[in-house]
Amino acid sequence: MRPPKAGTSGKAQFFDLEGHPNIASVQMHPGGGVHEGAYYKFIMRDRSEIKVIDPSNYNPRTIKQGSTFFDAQGQRIVYQNGKWIKVD
């Protein structure tokens, strides 16, 4: 576990994964602030990100290139025209 980044809410918990071939770290944020709902973020070794969110209360604010989103049921979702849409 490592401390949150400076300039953030300080609520997130970061866990570095040593020896995993694809995942570098995992972040768990309980919600509050910009992102109302809790979310999980997996930071991959190639610097892409996978986020597991609740689309009913997650405000994306900005979306980094290389980010992929899933809901809690494992359905891939994308943010288009101000709302989350399931991807087939």
Side-chain angles (χ1 to χ4, degrees):
M1 190 168 158
R2 64 179 151 101
K5 294 179 181 179
T8 66
S9 69
K11 296 179 180 182
Q13 295 179 338
F14 292 86
F15 302 90
D16 291 324
L17 300 179
E18 295 179 13
H20 193 282
N22 300 317
I23 303 171
S25 63
V26 176
Q27 174 186 353
M28 192 290 291
H29 195 289
V34 174
H35 307 295
E36 295 174 19
Y39 67 89
Y40 297 88
K41 177 168 61 174
F42 299 85
I43 302 170
M44 311 308 282
R45 298 224 179 265
D46 67 2
R47 301 239 183 237
S48 63
E49 296 179 354
I50 296 172
K51 288 187 179 182
V52 179
I53 65 163
D54 178 350
S56 70
N57 64 10
Y58 182 85
N59 173 6
R61 194 171 72 166
T62 60
I63 296 177
K64 277 176 69 172
Q65 185 174 352
S67 293
T68 305
F69 293 85
F70 293 88
D71 64 17
Q73 290 72 42
Q75 175 69 50
R76 186 163 178 244
I77 53 179
V78 296
Y79 195 71
Q80 292 180 347
N81 302 321
K83 61 184 176 180
W84 291 100
I85 300 168
K86 293 183 179 184
V87 177
D88 294 329

